[in-house]
């Protein structure tokens, strides 16, 4: 599961990542703020992209999040 920040400048920093995710069949989504993404990781700094891997400790929550992200509409 990949989460991308929507306010990254320049966008070329990670513009290739959605294509990489689609080719690898990895669900991804955007959130508005790179600062919020960093805080969600427990950091005081911002982050432009975060990848969350499945783990037995939180497999149920991970599966729910993955299914939710897959159900989001595609912006074409």
């Amino acid at each position: 599961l990949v989460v991308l920040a929507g306010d990254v400048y320049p966008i070329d920093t990670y513009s290739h990542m959605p294509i990489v995710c689609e080719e690898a069949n990895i669900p991804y989504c955007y959130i508005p703020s790179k600062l919020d993404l960093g805080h969600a990781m427990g950091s005081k700094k911002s982050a432009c992209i975060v990848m969350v891997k499945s783990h037995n400790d939180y497999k149920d929550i991970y599966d729910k999040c993955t299914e939710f992200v897959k159900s989001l509409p595609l912006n074409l």
Side-chain angles (χ1 to χ4, degrees), residues 1-2 18 20-28 51-52 62 69-70:
L1 174 64
V2 174
V20 171
C21 291
E22 289 176 11
E23 289 178 351
N25 199 25
I26 299 170
Y28 67 95
M51 182 175 201
V52 181
Y62 176 84
V69 170
K70 286 180 180 179

Side-chain angles (χ1 to χ4, degrees), residues 4-73:
L4 304 158
D7 63 347
V8 174
Y9 181 82
I11 196 65
D12 294 344
T13 306
Y14 75 168
S15 61
H16 64 285
M17 287 307 298
I19 297 168
V20 171
C21 291
E22 289 176 11
E23 289 178 351
N25 199 25
I26 299 170
Y28 67 95
C29 64
Y30 292 90
I31 65 165
S33 169
K34 60 186 174 187
L35 189 59
D36 288 343
L37 187 56
H39 286 280
M41 294 182 350
S43 173
K44 292 182 180 178
K45 297 184 179 185
S46 61
C48 64
I49 185 170
V50 171
M51 182 175 201
V52 181
K53 293 173 59 177
S54 180
H55 192 276
N56 289 336
D57 290 346
Y58 51 84
K59 179 138 179 63
D60 293 338
I61 296 171
Y62 176 84
D63 291 340
K64 286 180 186 177
C65 289
T66 301
E67 289 305 315
F68 179 76
V69 170
K70 286 180 180 179
S71 73
L72 293 172

